[in-house]
Amino acid sequence: MIRRLPAAVACCLLLTPLAAAAQVIPGWNARQFTIERLDEDRLRLAREVDIEGDPSGPNAGQRIFADEVQWNLRTGEFIAVGNVVVSSPTARISAERVVFNTRAGTGVFESASGIVSIAERITAEERSMFGTLEPDMYFYGETIEKLGENRYRIRNGAFTTCVQPTPRWEVVTTSATINVGDYAILRNAVMRVKDVPVFYLPVLYYPIQDDDRATGFLLPSYGSQTYQGQSLSNAFFWAINRSQDVTLFHDWYFSTGQGAGSEYRYVAGPGSEGQLRAYWLNEREAERNFGGGAITTPARRAYEIRGSLAQQLPGGLRARGRVDYFSDIATQQLYNYNVFQATNRQREVNGSVSGTWGGLSVTGNFQRRELFFNDTDSVVSGQAPGVMANLSSRRIAGLPVYVSLTSEAGRLLLMERRGPASAPVELDRSLGRVDILPSVRAPLTNWPFLTVTAQLSYRMTYFTQSLNENNEQVAEPLARRYADMRADVIGPVFSRVFNPNNAFADRLKHIIEPNFSVSRLTAIENQDRVTTAVNSSDAVVGAATRLNYGLTNRFLVRKAPAGTTPGSQPQGGAPREFLTVGVTQSYYTDERINLIDQQFQSSLGPRPPSRFSPVAVSVRAQPTDVSNATLRLEYDPREFFLQGLSASGGVNYPRTQASIGWSRQRIAADRHNNAMNGSTTLKFRDGRIGGTYSFDWNIATGTLIQQRWIGYLNAQCCGLAVEYQEYNYGTAAPGFPPRNRRFNLSFSLAGIGTFSNFFGSFGGSRF
């Protein structure tokens, strides 16, 4: 009896569930199974094994499920069979059999599948790049080896980031090494979409970094256009570090030639960033037929450079720069999807360095703009170089009088180029200019209903060149001086509030605001010798007075909050200015001022000398928080003619955004610009389905310049986008198609990316 007692106790211990097991396996808590000690080091656990790492130990978050487990207490290795599941905070692997070492964190899973998170949980907006799913990866294989904390090897298996019961796509491979949060290397990889093989690669390097930045080849893109024909684009992305990257790309246009380029981007800190993109195009000579007979397009080479820079410098200085340069204006129109870039006739380079110290601000700048009238003729303008120094308003001895100073010096550019490139005719009218403008300002009233301000300025301008008696620009310096006396009056302002005693209703406020200004320039002895072609602001008329008068009506509304009852105090938010109507006109003592007054848009068109300017009417409306509209028209009361009109409006709802604009401008006695543009975007089902339509219409010629249709569908881990664009060149030059039709098809895969045209398709601009 005494000898048999310990044996009976031992049998009871072997059959004891969770409590005894938790003490036997250090660092692990177990339950719902039986334990059998096989020898001094090994335990056998059976019957729905559930082992969980101690929350306070190194195995926290780890959990093991199986039908049977053999555990080696000395080595920390276990063998699990039957419905095995091993999980951690970021991964979960299921298998039929597992050999795993808990101390080394390595093991082999047979007939296994798993899911692992490759990034933190993300918002719905960020989830769109993963096909509306979380950024997880699913993989399976005959064997899955865990080589380290986040390193796996798959044999005869596959992986996908489309995590759902039936993945829409997967990459099948004979061998794959996966470093979670870094990369995956696959051998004999076949990509399948809906079980259909798409392409095969003997070796595939696939980045799965959690910061979305990895060096490697980007997905190729395919497109088709009337002029370029079919195209194939490839690119390589180099993630230098967290703050810099470079993209190298190559385009093969089946009908026109090839192109190559690169883009560099950097972020050095808050307010310090930049990008530079360069593209080179080599077109070959080709014969093609656009419907009007065979045309031979010449061989040509062109390049484009675009970039911007903003950089903080020591000493409180800040540098800015921008380049938008192209060597051939024809390629601008033929290769750009964006209408603005396709119709852009101006190239420019500019840069500046500025700093502010107290009330003094100094800016040094360089600006060169070149505007093309056709393939060869152009005009260059700008300032190269120049410097500006401004002193902000300073109060004098506690009096209500303020002084300020603005000054500018530089070389103003004006160069014209005419004729063919082989023998161009150039005219250079550039000159140096120094301008100093001190001002004294005094607010004469501080009443809320009436504001009166007086200002006296004295302008001194020095020009290195001037006009002679034959109106020819010659190298003779010229100094010009004049004083400008000005007074501005706003008011008296009248206002009235409607429904002031009905607190539960909307409150409406009407404000009537008259405004007047009068300015007088002293006589200028040598104004007729000043060349105004270089700088239009130097066009002034001395010994003349300008009187501007107008009336503004403002309507403000404060919406009553929901649930407001009679007698309660209105809370509501800030009042909204839902309608503003303004009318203004100017009177001149010298009718020549009417030709140069920059306050009116119609000064750019033909306008006879007159003592009265056009009547300008401006309307701005915001009926609701999501809708707006503007209108401006200028009417000539002497000729009873509408000089110019522009109108625009739009709505911005979560699922619908729409805008439309119309402009009509008189540019000659019998000719007008008349154009309309608009766009509409619709989104449904939380943005998974939607589309955009945009157009530009020349009403004067009845020509639809361009129209673009875009539609997209995102479902689970897959997406599809279709774009069609039609561009009308009108009376095209030789080598131009009358119409350029472009079609692009894009599909996206969760975690993989988007196949699309690299140059400006799907709503973007080329650069």
Side-chain angles (χ1 to χ4, degrees):
M1 293 284 297
I2 297 176
R3 292 179 179 177
R4 293 173 182 171
L5 181 60
V9 174
C11 290
C12 293
L13 290 175
L14 290 175
L15 298 175
T16 302
L18 174 62
Q23 300 173 6
V24 172
I25 306 178
W28 297 85
N29 298 322
R31 55 182 175 270
Q32 295 180 356
F33 58 84
T34 59
I35 299 178
E36 177 184 356
R37 185 176 292 277
L38 301 178
D39 53 37
E40 182 179 356
D41 296 330
R42 295 186 302 153
L43 296 176
R44 179 177 176 273
L45 297 79
R47 299 180 184 176
E48 298 182 357
V49 180
D50 183 359
I51 305 174
E52 184 175 8
D54 191 340
S56 60
N59 301 313
Q62 310 266 347
R63 199 163 185 178
I64 304 166
F65 303 89
D67 293 340
E68 181 180 320
V69 175
Q70 292 186 17
W71 198 291
N72 191 313
L73 300 177
R74 180 175 56 82
T75 63
E77 183 180 87
F78 70 84
I79 301 174
V81 295
N83 301 312
V84 184
V85 177
V86 179
S87 65
S88 68
T90 59
R92 179 185 179 93
I93 302 178
S94 303
E96 288 299 318
R97 185 175 185 274
V98 176
V99 179
F100 197 86
N101 190 304
T102 58
R103 296 179 183 176
T106 59
V108 179
F109 302 77
E110 300 178 4
S111 299
S113 62
I115 185 171
V116 61
S117 175
I118 61 176
E120 297 180 355
R121 302 292 93 176
I122 57 179
T123 64
E125 290 78 9
E126 296 169 331
R127 199 179 298 129
S128 61
M129 66 175 291
F130 294 92
T132 71
L133 298 178
E134 293 289 353
D136 296 332
M137 181 175 66
Y138 170 74
F139 51 89
Y140 65 88
E142 289 184 3
T143 62
I144 298 178
E145 299 179 58
K146 193 173 188 299
L147 307 177
E149 181 179 0
N150 290 310
R151 193 162 182 255
Y152 300 86
R153 178 182 295 135
I154 302 175
R155 298 189 183 277
N156 296 326
F159 86 95
T160 178
T161 53
C162 181
V163 183
Q164 57 179 354
T166 305
R168 297 291 190 270
W169 68 268
E170 63 182 2
V171 178
V172 181
T173 177
T174 57
S175 176
T177 301
I178 300 175
N179 289 272
V180 177
D182 196 356
Y183 64 88
I185 298 179
L186 296 84
R187 293 174 176 82
N188 297 320
V190 177
M191 184 173 185
R192 300 192 305 193
V193 178
K194 298 290 289 183
D195 294 330
V196 177
V198 177
F199 62 81
Y200 164 81
L201 291 174
V203 178
L204 173 63
Y205 176 94
Y206 175 64
I208 51 176
Q209 291 181 327
D210 51 12
D211 61 358
D212 300 327
R213 289 171 56 83
T215 299
F217 287 95
L218 302 179
L219 296 174
S221 64
Y222 171 81
S224 177
Q225 302 87 25
T226 301
Y227 179 78
Q228 298 96 326
Q230 302 179 74
S231 63
L232 184 65
S233 302
N234 293 277
F236 180 82
F237 179 77
W238 177 22
I240 302 175
N241 52 41
R242 286 292 300 165
S243 302
Q244 301 179 80
D245 60 54
V246 171
T247 304
L248 306 174
F249 44 89
H250 173 266
D251 303 309
W252 180 23
Y253 302 103
F254 292 14
S255 299
T256 57
Q258 301 185 61
S262 65
E263 179 185 34
Y264 170 75
R265 303 184 305 171
Y266 82 94
V267 177
S272 297
E273 59 184 324
Q275 63 176 356
L276 181 65
R277 187 162 186 165
Y279 185 72
W280 178 78
L281 178 68
N282 184 17
E283 284 190 307
R284 64 176 181 269
E285 181 178 322
E287 182 174 314
R288 62 194 69 196
N289 193 326
F290 296 125
I295 297 176
T296 300
T297 57
R300 58 186 168 192
R301 295 181 178 181
Y303 64 89
E304 294 183 350
I305 301 176
R306 304 182 189 274
S308 61
L309 168 74
Q311 182 69 43
Q312 296 283 1
L313 301 177
L317 297 175
R318 181 177 180 84
R320 293 182 179 273
R322 182 174 178 270
V323 57
D324 188 351
Y325 191 88
F326 53 86
S327 63
D328 188 273
I329 192 171
T331 59
Q332 271 286 103
Q333 297 184 341
L334 290 170
Y335 283 84
N336 276 288
Y337 284 75
N338 182 273
V339 176
F340 174 78
Q341 293 291 354
T343 57
N344 182 30
R345 298 182 292 118
Q346 179 173 283
R347 58 188 185 187
E348 65 176 308
V349 178
N350 61 65
S352 66
V353 177
S354 60
T356 301
W357 301 271
L360 176 65
S361 62
V362 179
T363 301
N365 61 71
F366 174 92
Q367 186 177 54
R368 187 183 189 276
R369 297 183 299 267
E370 185 172 7
L371 178 65
F372 284 86
F373 303 105
N374 49 47
D375 291 350
T376 58
D377 300 348
S378 65
V379 59
V380 176
S381 62
Q383 191 177 49
V387 61
M388 293 182 294
N390 300 325
L391 184 65
S392 60
S393 295
R394 295 295 182 92
R395 193 170 183 175
I396 301 178
L399 299 174
V401 178
Y402 300 83
V403 297
S404 62
L405 174 68
T406 62
S407 60
E408 181 179 5
R411 181 173 181 266
L412 303 183
L413 300 179
L414 181 60
M415 295 179 289
E416 298 181 21
R417 180 174 179 173
R418 309 284 180 179
S422 58
V425 177
E426 296 185 352
L427 174 62
D428 189 352
R429 290 191 285 174
S430 304
L431 55 82
R433 178 178 180 271
V434 179
D435 185 67
I436 301 176
L437 179 64
S439 301
V440 178
R441 178 177 58 87
L444 303 181
T445 66
N446 57 0
W447 300 324
F449 62 90
L450 181 64
T451 302
V452 180
T453 304
Q455 180 173 302
L456 174 63
S457 304
Y458 186 74
R459 188 163 217 147
M460 298 169 287
T461 310
Y462 174 81
F463 304 92
T464 59
Q465 296 187 19
S466 61
L467 300 178
N468 60 16
E469 58 276 4
N470 297 323
N471 204 32
E472 298 173 342
Q473 188 169 320
V474 295
E476 294 182 5
L478 173 68
R480 182 192 64 179
R481 300 177 181 87
Y482 66 87
D484 183 3
M485 297 167 286
R486 180 185 179 92
D488 296 282
V489 180
I490 301 178
V493 178
F494 304 93
S495 64
R496 181 181 178 182
V497 178
F498 296 89
N499 291 333
N501 299 320
N502 197 351
F504 64 90
D506 297 343
R507 296 164 62 88
L508 177 68
K509 186 176 184 179
H510 179 203
I511 302 174
I512 301 176
E513 185 179 275
N515 58 83
F516 308 89
S517 68
V518 57
S519 62
R520 172 72 181 182
L521 268 63
T522 59
I524 307 175
E525 297 180 358
N526 48 10
Q527 177 63 34
D528 56 344
R529 296 186 57 199
V530 174
T531 173
T532 59
V534 182
N535 187 0
S536 60
S537 63
D538 286 324
V540 294
V541 178
T545 302
R546 175 181 178 272
L547 174 64
N548 180 265
Y549 41 90
L551 181 67
T552 303
N553 283 266
R554 306 180 192 275
F555 298 87
L556 292 82
V557 63
R558 185 196 295 270
K559 301 294 290 184
T564 303
T565 58
S568 62
Q569 293 297 322
Q571 300 298 326
R576 183 180 75 251
E577 188 171 335
F578 79 95
L579 180 62
T580 301
V581 181
V583 181
T584 184
Q585 188 184 28
S586 292
Y587 170 78
Y588 319 105
T589 58
D590 192 320
E591 60 184 12
R592 292 177 298 172
I593 304 179
N594 184 45
L595 305 177
I596 60 175
D597 193 347
Q598 300 294 320
Q599 180 181 352
F600 298 90
Q601 299 175 356
S602 57
S603 63
L604 302 176
R607 199 162 67 188
S610 172
R611 293 184 181 272
F612 290 92
S613 73
V615 177
V617 179
S618 61
V619 180
R620 184 176 66 252
Q622 188 179 0
T624 65
D625 292 333
V626 296
S627 61
N628 64 84
T630 61
L631 169 69
R632 179 180 174 88
L633 61 87
E634 296 182 5
Y635 181 78
D636 192 331
R638 296 179 68 242
E639 295 186 356
F640 303 101
F641 196 87
L642 189 65
Q643 291 284 121
L645 181 145
S646 62
S648 63
V651 294
N652 187 10
Y653 291 96
R655 295 183 179 180
T656 305
Q657 297 88 44
S659 64
I660 190 168
W662 175 44
S663 64
R664 189 177 188 273
Q665 187 75 33
R666 187 186 186 191
I667 57 177
D670 56 348
R671 192 157 55 97
H672 298 79
N673 276 334
N674 196 356
M676 179 179 291
N677 63 80
S679 67
T680 301
T681 300
L682 302 176
K683 301 177 183 178
F684 305 99
R685 301 182 64 85
D686 297 328
R688 292 193 294 269
I689 302 175
T692 298
Y693 174 74
S694 63
F695 71 92
D696 289 86
W697 180 27
N698 188 336
I699 303 175
T701 61
T703 304
L704 189 62
I705 299 175
Q706 76 89 29
Q707 61 175 335
R708 173 181 289 184
W709 300 81
I710 301 174
Y712 66 88
L713 168 64
N714 292 323
Q716 295 177 328
C717 60
C718 297
L720 175 69
V722 179
E723 178 192 32
Y724 173 79
Q725 184 188 35
E726 183 176 336
Y727 198 97
N728 191 340
Y729 292 104
T731 55
F736 272 63
R739 294 176 181 269
N740 198 352
R741 296 179 175 89
R742 297 155 174 168
F743 175 79
N744 289 283
L745 177 66
S746 163
F747 66 93
S748 59
L749 302 176
I752 291 285
T754 300
F755 293 80
S756 67
N757 188 286
F758 195 77
F759 292 132
S761 63
F762 303 110
S765 62
R766 180 176 177 186
F767 291 98

